[in-house]
Amino acid sequence: MRRKLYDLAGADPERRFSPYCWRAKLALAHKGLEVEMIPWRFTEKDAIAFSGQGRVPVLVDGGRVVSDSWAIANYLEDAYPDRPSLFEGEGGRAVTRFVNGWADTVLNGGLIRLVLGDVYAHLHEKDRGYFRQSREQRFAMPLEAVCAGRDERVATFRQSLEPLRVVLAAQPYLSGAAPAYADYIVFGSFQWARCISPFVLLADGDPIAAWRERLLDAFGGLARNAIGYPVAA
Amino acid sequence: MRRKLYDLAGADPERRFSPYCWRAKLALAHKGLEVEMIPWRFTEKDAIAFSGQGRVPVLVDGGRVVSDSWAIANYLEDAYPDRPSLFEGEGGRAVTRFVNGWADTVLNGGLIRLVLGDVYAHLHEKDRGYFRQSREQRFAMPLEAVCAGRDERVATFRQSLEPLRVVLAAQPYLSGAAPAYADYIVFGSFQWARCISPFVLLADGDPIAAWRERLLDAFGGLARNAIGYPVAA
């Protein structure tokens, strides 16, 4: 197959947990595009050196190489305009960038402080030194300390999701009546957590859970069938 | 004129500070629609009883009555499709709802804890009892206590704006190359603060300030010419 996506994997090569790779996988599924998934570990920089940078997702589509999940979504939208739209118009594309910015900072910033230790536990042995060193430098504390007190701190995380609840009280998806890229951005983060952590993120009855269930089922259960932990209903 | 907007006013009837009314005023300006502004105070419930509820903005457009800023924006978009679009497509409309939800919860929730006392100071005498009682009930503390420590707490508020900075590093407006309703939602909150408070919200050099300046100048300086306080450059 001429279309390939380099996809972050854990010790089990079938455990694929990167939130940014999930954005790309769901965008490809939305466009109805087949893709060969290439498992990749953090320290395999040589394998994606052709992309001119060192992070996944990296999409190879014929002769095109695109890295960065936002760039991949935009590439797919422009290269396959006759397929279902990821943005439903230029206004959608522009404003979805705000959802992307919120997810990258607030959502993923909150999640990593709940599941960092669980990420580490699922990494391939050869990635652990790199991961520990880079994350301990980023958080300026031992890796094991980052998630301390998460049972108490999860309340603050749940509060930070209030903008999602406001939207989902008014419409079934962030993108309106049907899911599109804004949903995949946010869902990708929940799926990241699900793939590596049994920690319960949402309180019983949280309306975000129903939306998450629908996205777990999207595209024939693409996300639900991925190796991970059950989520509380 | 057959088009009227009921607009929250302070002791000075020309001081118009509601963030939700600013959303509606900027949406009307974006559509190029003339409108007569009717100053309204919190306790003048009788004056808008015809709308079936007790809050502004209320738009009267010929025989149509529309209250709630989100409903007004959607009404204007649908009733005036040949005028410049507020959303640039259905994807833009759907995802702008997330910006609306974020502004209503995170942004306005943060701002009110910085400027509530300044709002009170600018109210008409007849509104003060209602305002004090309703806000002290909402915050479960004396009105004067809500903004205590704001010089320290503003750092947390500034941190909460990080999703805006991520977007504005990549494009000039939340809505892309030109401003649209997503921008008016967020700007309306900064304009609210500007109309009643000298408190400096943004640090020197914050890129959000340059975006705010451009919106102060939009529509011939509609927002900049409104009665309020200077903002730090």
Side-chain angles (χ1 to χ4, degrees):
Chain A
M1 188 183 298
R2 51 192 284 287
R3 190 177 299 117
K4 298 178 182 176
L5 187 76
Y6 288 80
D7 189 20
L8 187 64
D12 178 346
E14 295 308 312
R15 189 180 303 271
R16 309 291 178 85
F17 55 93
S18 159
Y20 306 103
C21 292
W22 274 106
R23 294 180 192 177
K25 284 180 274 188
L26 291 159
L28 285 156
H30 185 94
K31 287 284 185 187
L33 297 170
E34 300 268 317
V35 61
E36 181 188 356
M37 300 292 179
I38 315 286
W40 179 89
R41 271 75 177 238
F42 282 114
T43 48
E44 295 172 348
K45 302 293 186 192
D46 287 353
I48 57 169
F50 68 89
S51 72
Q53 54 87 60
R55 303 169 78 181
V56 292
V58 173
L59 175 69
V60 181
D61 190 18
R64 287 292 303 266
V65 176
V66 191
S67 56
D68 179 84
S69 59
W70 179 255
I72 289 170
N74 280 271
Y75 164 76
L76 293 174
E77 184 74 350
D78 296 334
Y80 300 96
D82 298 334
R83 302 283 185 129
S85 175
L86 290 164
F87 301 119
E88 295 291 351
E90 289 310 307
R93 190 195 301 242
V95 182
T96 296
R97 195 148 200 156
F98 183 82
V99 178
N100 207 69
W102 178 82
D104 287 356
T105 56
V106 176
L107 180 57
N108 289 351
L111 277 171
I112 193 64
R113 289 171 177 80
L114 301 174
V115 303
L116 182 67
D118 297 321
V119 174
Y120 183 77
H122 287 92
L123 293 181
H124 192 283
E125 180 66 37
K126 70 179 182 180
D127 276 1
R128 293 192 172 187
Y130 159 82
F131 189 84
R132 175 179 289 279
Q133 182 181 20
S134 60
R135 270 51 178 183
E136 293 190 342
Q137 185 170 10
R138 182 187 303 173
F139 291 101
M141 65 179 76
L143 201 142
E144 288 72 15
V146 174
C147 293
R150 68 179 178 177
D151 290 333
E152 291 70 44
R153 289 187 296 100
V154 72
T156 304
F157 171 75
R158 289 170 180 171
Q159 175 60 31
S160 78
L161 306 179
E162 195 60 19
L164 290 180
R165 292 187 196 98
V166 171
V167 177
L168 295 174
Q171 58 196 38
Y173 294 97
L174 302 184
S175 303
Y181 196 64
D183 295 274
Y184 309 145
I185 292 168
V186 176
F187 175 78
S189 298
F190 286 99
Q191 177 71 354
W192 167 39
R194 192 185 86 81
C195 287
I196 46 81
S197 178
F199 187 68
V200 176
L201 295 173
L202 301 175
D204 281 352
D206 191 324
I208 298 169
W211 164 86
R212 182 176 57 178
E213 286 295 306
R214 294 196 297 274
L215 284 160
L216 282 164
D217 288 334
F219 311 117
L222 176 65
R224 194 184 294 281
N225 294 333
I227 290 179
Y229 291 85
V231 293
Chain B
M1 187 183 299
R2 52 192 284 286
R3 192 176 297 116
K4 298 177 183 176
L5 188 75
Y6 288 81
D7 188 20
L8 186 65
D12 177 347
E14 294 308 311
R15 189 180 303 273
R16 309 291 180 83
F17 55 93
S18 159
Y20 307 102
C21 291
W22 274 106
R23 294 180 192 177
K25 284 181 274 188
L26 290 159
L28 284 157
H30 184 95
K31 287 283 186 188
L33 298 170
E34 301 269 317
V35 60
E36 181 188 356
M37 299 292 178
I38 314 286
W40 178 89
R41 270 75 176 238
F42 282 115
T43 47
E44 295 172 349
K45 302 293 186 193
D46 287 353
I48 58 169
F50 68 89
S51 72
Q53 53 88 59
R55 303 171 78 182
V56 291
V58 172
L59 175 69
V60 181
D61 190 18
R64 288 292 303 266
V65 175
V66 191
S67 55
D68 179 85
S69 60
W70 180 255
I72 289 171
N74 280 270
Y75 165 76
L76 293 174
E77 185 74 351
D78 296 334
Y80 299 96
D82 298 334
R83 302 283 185 131
S85 175
L86 290 164
F87 300 119
E88 295 291 351
E90 289 310 305
R93 190 194 301 241
V95 181
T96 295
R97 194 148 201 156
F98 182 82
V99 178
N100 208 68
W102 179 82
D104 287 357
T105 56
V106 176
L107 180 57
N108 289 350
L111 277 171
I112 194 63
R113 289 171 177 80
L114 301 174
V115 303
L116 183 67
D118 297 321
V119 174
Y120 183 76
H122 287 92
L123 293 180
H124 193 282
E125 180 65 37
K126 71 180 182 181
D127 275 1
R128 292 192 172 185
Y130 159 80
F131 189 85
R132 175 179 290 279
Q133 183 181 18
S134 60
R135 270 51 178 183
E136 292 190 343
Q137 185 170 10
R138 182 188 303 174
F139 291 101
M141 65 179 77
L143 200 141
E144 288 72 14
V146 173
C147 293
R150 68 179 177 177
D151 290 333
E152 291 71 44
R153 289 187 296 99
V154 72
T156 304
F157 170 75
R158 290 170 180 171
Q159 176 60 32
S160 78
L161 306 179
E162 196 58 21
L164 290 179
R165 291 187 197 98
V166 171
V167 177
L168 295 174
Q171 58 195 37
Y173 294 97
L174 301 183
S175 303
Y181 196 63
D183 295 275
Y184 308 145
I185 292 167
V186 176
F187 175 78
S189 298
F190 285 100
Q191 177 71 353
W192 167 40
R194 192 185 86 80
C195 287
I196 46 80
S197 178
F199 187 67
V200 176
L201 296 173
L202 301 175
D204 281 351
D206 191 324
I208 298 168
W211 164 86
R212 181 176 56 177
E213 286 294 306
R214 294 196 297 275
L215 284 160
L216 282 164
D217 289 332
F219 311 118
L222 176 66
R224 195 185 292 282
N225 294 334
I227 290 179
Y229 292 85
V231 292

